């Protein structure tokens, strides 16, 4: 399953750091974070619970970028 999220991240470097960390979250098949559009696209593993994975994604992203937010 693929899903797109509107996010808030402060700079392009922060977006890259978030992307690199989120790639390592269990249940994430692939991720793309684009600073210019403030969007994050995630493809979840087939057997993953997207809600549970997103909780971990947000936790990991906030460690890298304190101001990180998922808007929708």
């Amino acid at each position: 399953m693929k899903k797109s999220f509107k996010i808030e991240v402060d700079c392009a470097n922060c977006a890259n750091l978030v992307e690199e960390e989120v790639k390592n979250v269990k249940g994430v098949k692939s991720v793309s974070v684009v600073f210019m559009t403030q969007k994050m696209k995630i493809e979840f593993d087939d057997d993953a619970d997207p809600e549970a994975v997103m909780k971990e994604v947000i936790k990991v992203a906030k460690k890298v970028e304190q101001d990180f937010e998922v808007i929708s």
Side-chain angles (χ1 to χ4, degrees), residues 5-8 18 21-23 25-26 28 31 33 40 42 44 50-72:
F5 301 90
K6 179 96 173 114
I7 60 167
E8 187 174 311
V18 167
E21 291 300 316
V22 170
K23 282 180 183 177
V25 172
K26 186 177 179 183
V28 174
V31 63
V33 179
M40 176 171 61
I42 296 181
F44 299 97
E51 242 179 77
V53 172
M54 280 308 296
K55 285 182 183 178
E56 187 64 23
V57 164
I58 292 168
K59 187 173 152 184
V60 167
K62 283 191 174 276
K63 285 182 182 176
V64 176
E65 170 58 40
Q66 290 180 344
D67 297 331
F68 178 86
E69 283 188 53
V70 174
I71 299 169
S72 60

Side-chain angles (χ1 to χ4, degrees), residues 20-39:
E20 288 301 313
E21 291 300 316
V22 170
K23 282 180 183 177
N24 298 319
V25 172
K26 186 177 179 183
V28 174
K29 194 172 197 175
S30 66
V31 63
S32 172
V33 179
V34 181
F35 171 69
M36 293 299 290
T37 60
Q38 295 285 300
K39 291 199 176 183

